[in-house]
Amino acid sequence: MATWRYSWGILHFVRALIYRKISFPRLRKASDAAVDRGISTGQVPHAYLLVTSFRVDADTSASVYRATFEAAMAAPGKTTVVASLVDVSDQRLVTAAYQRICGAATNVRMVIVRIKGTGKRDALANGFRAIANAQPGPDDIVAVIDGDSVVPRDLVAKCLGFFLDNPKVGALTTDEISEVRGRAIFHIWYSLRFAQRNILMASNGLARRVLTLTGRMSMFRADVICNPSFINQVEQDFIDHWRIGRIKFLTGDDKSSWFWLLKNGYQMLYVPDLLVSTVEDPPSDKFLVAAAQLMTRWFGNMLRTNGRALMLGPSRIGYFTWWAIFDQRISMWTSLAGLVMVILIGIFVTPLAFLGYVVWVLVTRYVLTLLLFQSRSRVSALYPFLIYFNQIFGSMVKTYIFFRPNKQRWTRQKTTLAKSGGWLRGAFVTATSTYMHGLAIAVFVTTVAWLIGLLPSPQLTF
């Protein structure tokens, strides 16, 4: 199992190097050339920048819209900023920022879409329909920007060409850094997460299909955004679970859009030379509590979409992409195998196993930390410990959510999904989830014990 994990990690690392050093520079060259051709011929597509704001503080909103309007002003063609807003105060803030930055004589239009505070999916759907009503052209693009994401000034110029150069490209996403409001441990944890994300995104980018289109900032072809089935997928996504029944998606709008593009055969690119800064507010001052809440949302979004993505098959979505999606299901168990093995050996064979395991963890996680220099110019001395924490604690959260895919909650918006079916139905789901989770753990521990020779091999007689 360790061989599986480390060989898979090395493969991702090598693929990321190939993408960032060889493959992407070629894509960048072709993209820039496509933009230059459009400028020289006066045929630059229209760019729409859709920003959704809901319960975001005024300082963050001001920074987000300032950056968005500056990116719109710097775009090589005409641009429309679509603000999907709930509060009147946000409308006043956005209008003032538009007038101050863009002024009267500008190629930048602004459209305000007022919505009810019923969640991000409704906000996105209303914004998509507003863009569709403008009847964008076939080469126009739409950047979907979260209310706490600060985009770079050259956003449109550095992304537009990928769509012009290749009609198969349906969407793209970029590298991210974070501005964290909280204790120092959160700063380091988020920086590690984005450093690892950069490597995984680049590795999957080599296959032209990333595994997520982050809701913080992703750019789409306009005819994708305006497709009624795409809008419906984002607005009212769900899965039918064999035991729980229909699970309507509350979070994970980025996974809904990603699945639609994957299902319909579009390429999804990663742009590693463009940084979007995200404002991160941990949901709790306590690290373990915040990590549990965030991982529950992140991994829940992943696992709720994992099964239907696998059903598309490797011949349809590519063998590497399919295998990477499949690995999401088994990595939660392989990451725990080493710990379980050491606990069993330490208890039943020799306690020296614990010492050897500690040394092994420190050495291997230190090496993994050094490899992150390929992704970032600086790393932290705490990275080895946080890498191990993410693997073990994250795997525990994944196994918990795997058997409880109906567990959903926004961390910032405090929105929950209404329960249906009454208390009896809820009790049945809870009981069966607990039973199946416990059974899976028992089988897993028994299998590990058998593999290391603590249990005799089963004797089959005929």
Side-chain angles (χ1 to χ4, degrees):
M1 292 184 181
T3 302
W4 170 281
R5 292 201 317 274
Y6 287 108
S7 61
W8 187 238
I10 292 171
L11 179 60
H12 273 304
F13 181 80
V14 173
R15 285 175 58 90
L17 278 176
I18 294 173
Y19 182 74
R20 294 178 63 218
K21 303 298 183 181
I22 300 175
S23 180
F24 181 75
R26 296 173 182 169
L27 294 175
R28 167 57 65 200
K29 184 177 180 180
S31 171
D32 292 344
V35 173
D36 290 340
R37 286 194 300 271
I39 294 174
S40 64
T41 59
Q43 297 179 342
V44 180
H46 198 108
Y48 295 84
L49 309 183
L50 170 61
V51 185
T52 57
S53 297
F54 181 53
R55 292 182 182 173
V56 178
D57 63 90
D59 290 340
T60 300
S61 291
S63 298
V64 168
Y65 281 101
R66 183 188 309 115
T68 301
F69 286 127
E70 289 176 351
M73 289 286 289
K78 294 183 178 181
T79 310
T80 299
V81 175
V82 181
S84 187
L85 306 172
V86 176
D87 300 324
V88 176
S89 58
D90 286 338
Q91 182 173 338
R92 289 195 293 265
L93 183 151
V94 172
T95 301
Y98 173 73
Q99 293 172 347
R100 183 174 64 256
I101 297 171
C102 300
T106 177
N107 285 332
V108 179
R109 291 180 60 245
M110 181 180 68
V111 175
I112 292 179
V113 180
R114 288 295 303 277
I115 59 170
K116 298 179 180 179
T118 52
K120 187 179 177 183
R121 288 181 177 270
D122 290 341
L124 288 171
N126 280 278
F128 295 160
R129 292 189 179 99
I131 295 171
N133 290 337
Q135 298 181 335
D139 291 325
D140 293 349
I141 55 96
V142 180
V144 180
I145 304 167
D146 203 1
D148 52 11
S149 300
V150 180
V151 299
R153 183 178 178 83
D154 55 354
L155 173 69
V156 177
K158 295 192 72 172
C159 292
L160 176 62
F162 295 108
F163 297 93
L164 295 176
D165 180 63
N166 185 355
K168 294 182 180 179
V169 174
L172 59 79
T173 192
T174 69
D175 193 7
E176 293 182 16
I177 55 174
S178 59
E179 176 189 331
V180 184
R181 297 170 176 172
R183 296 162 50 200
I185 186 65
F186 289 110
H187 292 254
I188 299 170
W189 187 56
Y190 272 101
S191 68
L192 169 63
R193 175 173 177 259
F194 286 124
Q196 293 177 314
R197 174 187 181 274
N198 188 28
I199 292 177
L200 292 176
M201 280 287 197
S203 172
N204 288 289
L206 189 61
R208 304 296 187 269
R209 289 183 178 90
V210 296
L211 294 190
T212 186
L213 290 170
T214 175
R216 297 308 181 89
M217 201 304 295
S218 292
M219 190 173 287
F220 299 81
R221 196 173 289 277
D223 57 3
V224 168
I225 288 291
C226 298
N227 190 305
S229 67
F230 177 87
I231 298 174
N232 185 67
Q233 180 98 58
V234 173
E235 186 178 28
Q236 300 180 15
D237 202 5
F238 64 88
I239 56 171
D240 289 316
H241 192 273
W242 68 274
R243 176 173 52 85
I244 300 175
R246 175 156 296 187
I247 302 174
K248 183 179 179 181
F249 288 6
L250 174 64
T251 62
D253 53 273
D254 52 338
K255 282 295 187 179
S256 298
S257 56
W258 169 81
F259 178 71
W260 190 95
L261 287 155
L262 189 70
K263 179 178 64 176
N264 286 278
Y266 284 96
Q267 293 183 6
M268 293 170 277
L269 301 183
Y270 179 57
V271 182
D273 63 351
L274 200 63
L275 279 172
V276 173
S277 177
T278 65
V279 180
E280 305 288 350
D281 286 298
S284 172
D285 290 334
K286 298 178 181 178
F287 178 70
L288 280 178
V289 174
Q293 291 184 27
L294 290 167
M295 286 181 175
T296 297
R297 177 162 61 87
W298 296 336
F299 300 148
N301 295 339
M302 176 190 76
L303 292 171
R304 278 185 288 273
T305 303
N306 180 277
R308 60 182 182 179
L310 284 175
M311 292 297 292
L312 295 176
S315 61
R316 185 172 177 181
I317 65 177
Y319 285 88
F320 181 83
T321 301
W322 187 89
W323 194 256
I325 296 170
F326 175 71
D327 180 69
Q328 292 175 341
R329 289 200 163 200
I330 61 175
S331 63
M332 69 181 85
W333 300 105
T334 57
S335 295
L336 294 173
L339 177 61
V340 172
M341 178 189 70
V342 168
I343 292 174
L344 292 174
I345 294 177
I347 294 175
F348 296 104
V349 181
T350 172
L352 291 177
F354 294 115
L355 178 61
Y357 182 67
V358 171
V359 174
W360 168 256
V361 167
L362 290 176
V363 171
T364 54
R365 274 55 178 188
Y366 182 73
V367 172
L368 292 176
T369 296
L370 294 179
L371 293 179
L372 289 176
F373 276 114
Q374 186 255 337
S375 176
R376 294 290 189 260
S377 59
R378 297 176 60 185
V379 299
S380 169
L382 292 179
Y383 276 8
F385 305 98
L386 290 174
I387 288 174
Y388 182 74
F389 168 79
N390 285 345
Q391 290 173 333
I392 301 303
F393 189 73
S395 292
M396 292 178 179
V397 174
K398 287 177 185 176
T399 60
Y400 178 86
I401 292 297
F402 183 78
F403 295 99
R404 300 165 181 84
N406 55 315
K407 295 286 186 179
Q408 302 179 69
R409 185 183 180 188
W410 280 109
T411 50
R412 173 165 54 85
Q413 297 179 4
K414 309 301 181 186
T415 307
T416 56
L417 193 65
K419 295 181 180 180
S420 60
W423 72 268
L424 186 60
R425 175 66 181 171
F428 169 80
V429 170
T430 300
T432 54
S433 296
T434 302
Y435 167 75
M436 297 193 70
H437 189 192
L439 179 63
I441 292 175
V443 171
F444 173 66
V445 173
T446 301
T447 302
V448 173
W450 172 71
L451 288 174
I452 61 179
L454 292 180
L455 292 177
S457 299
Q459 301 296 320
L460 300 179
T461 57
F462 299 92

CSV table of all heavy atoms in Angstrom, one decimal, residues 156-184:
chain,number,residue,atom,x,y,z
A,156,VAL,N,-7.9,38.6,-17.9
A,156,VAL,CA,-8.6,38.3,-19.2
A,156,VAL,C,-7.5,38.1,-20.3
A,156,VAL,O,-7.6,37.1,-21.1
A,156,VAL,CB,-9.5,39.4,-19.6
A,156,VAL,CG1,-10.1,39.2,-21.0
A,156,VAL,CG2,-10.6,39.6,-18.6
A,157,ALA,N,-6.5,39.0,-20.4
A,157,ALA,CA,-5.5,38.9,-21.4
A,157,ALA,C,-4.7,37.6,-21.3
A,157,ALA,O,-4.4,37.0,-22.4
A,157,ALA,CB,-4.6,40.1,-21.3
A,158,LYS,N,-4.5,37.1,-20.1
A,158,LYS,CA,-3.7,35.9,-20.0
A,158,LYS,C,-4.5,34.6,-20.0
A,158,LYS,O,-4.0,33.5,-20.0
A,158,LYS,CB,-2.9,35.9,-18.7
A,158,LYS,CG,-1.9,37.0,-18.6
A,158,LYS,CD,-0.9,36.9,-17.5
A,158,LYS,CE,0.1,35.7,-17.7
A,158,LYS,NZ,1.1,35.7,-16.7
A,159,CYS,N,-5.8,34.7,-20.1
A,159,CYS,CA,-6.7,33.5,-20.2
A,159,CYS,C,-7.5,33.3,-21.5
A,159,CYS,O,-7.8,32.2,-21.9
A,159,CYS,CB,-7.7,33.5,-19.0
A,159,CYS,SG,-6.9,33.2,-17.4
A,160,LEU,N,-7.8,34.5,-22.1
A,160,LEU,CA,-8.7,34.5,-23.3
A,160,LEU,C,-8.1,33.6,-24.4
A,160,LEU,O,-8.9,32.9,-25.1
A,160,LEU,CB,-8.9,35.9,-23.7
A,160,LEU,CG,-9.7,36.1,-25.0
A,160,LEU,CD1,-11.1,35.6,-24.8
A,160,LEU,CD2,-9.7,37.6,-25.4
A,161,GLY,N,-6.8,33.7,-24.6
A,161,GLY,CA,-6.2,33.0,-25.8
A,161,GLY,C,-6.4,31.5,-25.7
A,161,GLY,O,-6.4,30.8,-26.8
A,162,PHE,N,-6.5,30.9,-24.6
A,162,PHE,CA,-6.6,29.4,-24.5
A,162,PHE,C,-7.9,29.0,-25.2
A,162,PHE,O,-8.0,27.9,-25.8
A,162,PHE,CB,-6.6,29.0,-23.0
A,162,PHE,CG,-5.3,29.2,-22.4
A,162,PHE,CD1,-5.1,30.2,-21.4
A,162,PHE,CD2,-4.1,28.4,-22.7
A,162,PHE,CE1,-3.9,30.4,-20.8
A,162,PHE,CE2,-2.9,28.7,-22.1
A,162,PHE,CZ,-2.8,29.7,-21.1
A,163,PHE,N,-8.9,29.8,-25.0
A,163,PHE,CA,-10.2,29.5,-25.7
A,163,PHE,C,-10.2,29.7,-27.2
A,163,PHE,O,-10.8,29.0,-28.0
A,163,PHE,CB,-11.3,30.3,-25.0
A,163,PHE,CG,-11.6,30.0,-23.6
A,163,PHE,CD1,-10.9,30.7,-22.6
A,163,PHE,CD2,-12.4,29.0,-23.1
A,163,PHE,CE1,-11.1,30.5,-21.2
A,163,PHE,CE2,-12.6,28.7,-21.8
A,163,PHE,CZ,-11.9,29.5,-20.8
A,164,LEU,N,-9.5,30.8,-27.6
A,164,LEU,CA,-9.4,31.1,-29.0
A,164,LEU,C,-8.6,30.1,-29.7
A,164,LEU,O,-8.9,29.8,-30.9
A,164,LEU,CB,-8.8,32.5,-29.1
A,164,LEU,CG,-9.6,33.7,-28.6
A,164,LEU,CD1,-8.8,35.0,-28.7
A,164,LEU,CD2,-10.9,33.8,-29.3
A,165,ASP,N,-7.5,29.6,-29.1
A,165,ASP,CA,-6.6,28.7,-29.8
A,165,ASP,C,-7.2,27.3,-29.9
A,165,ASP,O,-6.8,26.6,-30.9
A,165,ASP,CB,-5.3,28.6,-29.0
A,165,ASP,CG,-4.3,27.7,-29.6
A,165,ASP,OD1,-3.8,28.0,-30.8
A,165,ASP,OD2,-3.9,26.7,-29.0
A,166,ASN,N,-8.0,26.9,-29.0
A,166,ASN,CA,-8.5,25.5,-29.0
A,166,ASN,C,-10.0,25.5,-28.7
A,166,ASN,O,-10.4,25.7,-27.5
A,166,ASN,CB,-7.7,24.7,-28.0
A,166,ASN,CG,-8.1,23.2,-28.0
A,166,ASN,OD1,-9.0,22.8,-28.7
A,166,ASN,ND2,-7.4,22.4,-27.2
A,167,PRO,N,-10.9,25.2,-29.6
A,167,PRO,CA,-12.3,25.2,-29.4
A,167,PRO,C,-12.8,24.1,-28.5
A,167,PRO,O,-13.9,24.1,-28.0
A,167,PRO,CB,-12.9,25.0,-30.8
A,167,PRO,CG,-11.8,24.4,-31.6
A,167,PRO,CD,-10.5,24.9,-31.0
A,168,LYS,N,-11.9,23.1,-28.2
A,168,LYS,CA,-12.3,22.0,-27.2
A,168,LYS,C,-12.1,22.4,-25.8
A,168,LYS,O,-12.7,21.7,-24.9
A,168,LYS,CB,-11.4,20.8,-27.5
A,168,LYS,CG,-11.6,20.1,-28.9
A,168,LYS,CD,-10.7,18.9,-29.0
A,168,LYS,CE,-10.9,18.2,-30.4
A,168,LYS,NZ,-10.0,17.1,-30.5
A,169,VAL,N,-11.5,23.6,-25.5
A,169,VAL,CA,-11.3,24.0,-24.2
A,169,VAL,C,-12.6,24.6,-23.7
A,169,VAL,O,-13.1,25.6,-24.3
A,169,VAL,CB,-10.2,25.1,-24.0
A,169,VAL,CG1,-10.2,25.7,-22.6
A,169,VAL,CG2,-8.9,24.4,-24.4
A,170,GLY,N,-13.2,24.1,-22.6
A,170,GLY,CA,-14.5,24.6,-22.1
A,170,GLY,C,-14.3,25.4,-20.9
A,170,GLY,O,-15.2,26.3,-20.6
A,171,ALA,N,-13.2,25.2,-20.2
A,171,ALA,CA,-13.0,26.0,-18.9
A,171,ALA,C,-11.5,25.9,-18.5
A,171,ALA,O,-10.8,25.1,-19.0
A,171,ALA,CB,-13.9,25.5,-17.8
A,172,LEU,N,-11.2,26.8,-17.6
A,172,LEU,CA,-9.8,26.7,-17.0
A,172,LEU,C,-9.9,27.3,-15.6
A,172,LEU,O,-10.8,28.0,-15.2
A,172,LEU,CB,-8.8,27.5,-17.9
A,172,LEU,CG,-9.1,29.0,-18.2
A,172,LEU,CD1,-8.6,29.9,-17.0
A,172,LEU,CD2,-8.3,29.4,-19.4
A,173,THR,N,-8.8,26.9,-14.9
A,173,THR,CA,-8.7,27.5,-13.5
A,173,THR,C,-7.2,27.8,-13.3
A,173,THR,O,-6.4,27.4,-14.1
A,173,THR,CB,-9.2,26.6,-12.5
A,173,THR,OG1,-9.3,27.3,-11.2
A,173,THR,CG2,-8.4,25.4,-12.3
A,174,THR,N,-6.9,28.6,-12.3
A,174,THR,CA,-5.5,29.1,-12.1
A,174,THR,C,-4.9,28.7,-10.8
A,174,THR,O,-5.6,28.1,-9.9
A,174,THR,CB,-5.5,30.6,-12.2
A,174,THR,OG1,-6.2,31.1,-11.0
A,174,THR,CG2,-6.3,31.1,-13.4
A,175,ASP,N,-3.7,29.0,-10.6
A,175,ASP,CA,-3.0,28.8,-9.3
A,175,ASP,C,-3.7,29.8,-8.3
A,175,ASP,O,-4.2,30.8,-8.6
A,175,ASP,CB,-1.5,29.1,-9.4
A,175,ASP,CG,-0.7,28.6,-8.2
A,175,ASP,OD1,-1.3,28.0,-7.3
A,175,ASP,OD2,0.5,28.9,-8.2
A,176,GLU,N,-3.5,29.5,-7.0
A,176,GLU,CA,-4.1,30.3,-5.9
A,176,GLU,C,-3.1,30.5,-4.8
A,176,GLU,O,-2.3,29.6,-4.5
A,176,GLU,CB,-5.4,29.7,-5.4
A,176,GLU,CG,-6.5,29.6,-6.3
A,176,GLU,CD,-7.8,29.0,-5.7
A,176,GLU,OE1,-7.8,28.9,-4.4
A,176,GLU,OE2,-8.7,28.6,-6.4
A,177,ILE,N,-3.2,31.7,-4.2
A,177,ILE,CA,-2.6,31.9,-2.9
A,177,ILE,C,-3.6,32.4,-1.9
A,177,ILE,O,-4.7,32.8,-2.4
A,177,ILE,CB,-1.4,32.9,-3.0
A,177,ILE,CG1,-1.9,34.2,-3.6
A,177,ILE,CG2,-0.2,32.3,-3.8
A,177,ILE,CD1,-0.9,35.3,-3.7
A,178,SER,N,-3.3,32.4,-0.7
A,178,SER,CA,-4.4,32.8,0.3
A,178,SER,C,-3.9,33.9,1.2
A,178,SER,O,-2.7,34.0,1.6
A,178,SER,CB,-4.8,31.5,1.2
A,178,SER,OG,-3.6,31.1,1.8
A,179,GLU,N,-4.9,34.7,1.6
A,179,GLU,CA,-4.7,35.7,2.7
A,179,GLU,C,-5.6,35.2,3.8
A,179,GLU,O,-6.8,35.4,3.7
A,179,GLU,CB,-5.1,37.1,2.2
A,179,GLU,CG,-5.1,38.2,3.2
A,179,GLU,CD,-5.7,39.5,2.8
A,179,GLU,OE1,-5.7,39.8,1.6
A,179,GLU,OE2,-6.2,40.2,3.6
A,180,VAL,N,-5.0,34.7,4.8
A,180,VAL,CA,-5.7,34.1,5.9
A,180,VAL,C,-5.9,35.0,7.1
A,180,VAL,O,-5.0,35.6,7.5
A,180,VAL,CB,-5.0,32.8,6.4
A,180,VAL,CG1,-5.8,32.0,7.4
A,180,VAL,CG2,-4.7,31.9,5.2
A,181,ARG,N,-7.1,35.0,7.6
A,181,ARG,CA,-7.4,35.8,8.8
A,181,ARG,C,-7.6,34.8,10.0
A,181,ARG,O,-8.6,34.2,10.1
A,181,ARG,CB,-8.7,36.6,8.6
A,181,ARG,CG,-8.6,37.6,7.5
A,181,ARG,CD,-10.0,38.2,7.2
A,181,ARG,NE,-10.0,39.3,6.2
A,181,ARG,CZ,-11.1,39.8,5.7
A,181,ARG,NH1,-12.3,39.4,6.1
A,181,ARG,NH2,-11.0,40.7,4.8
A,182,GLY,N,-6.6,34.7,10.7
A,182,GLY,CA,-6.6,33.8,11.8
A,182,GLY,C,-5.2,33.5,12.4
A,182,GLY,O,-4.2,34.2,12.1
A,183,ARG,N,-5.1,32.5,13.2
A,183,ARG,CA,-3.8,32.2,13.9
A,183,ARG,C,-2.8,31.7,12.8
A,183,ARG,O,-3.1,31.3,11.7
A,183,ARG,CB,-4.1,31.1,14.9
A,183,ARG,CG,-5.0,31.5,16.0
A,183,ARG,CD,-5.6,30.3,16.7
A,183,ARG,NE,-4.5,29.3,17.1
A,183,ARG,CZ,-4.7,28.0,17.4
A,183,ARG,NH1,-6.0,27.5,17.3
A,183,ARG,NH2,-3.7,27.2,17.7
A,184,ALA,N,-1.5,31.8,13.3
A,184,ALA,CA,-0.4,31.4,12.4
A,184,ALA,C,-0.5,30.0,11.8
A,184,ALA,O,-0.2,29.8,10.6
A,184,ALA,CB,0.9,31.6,13.1
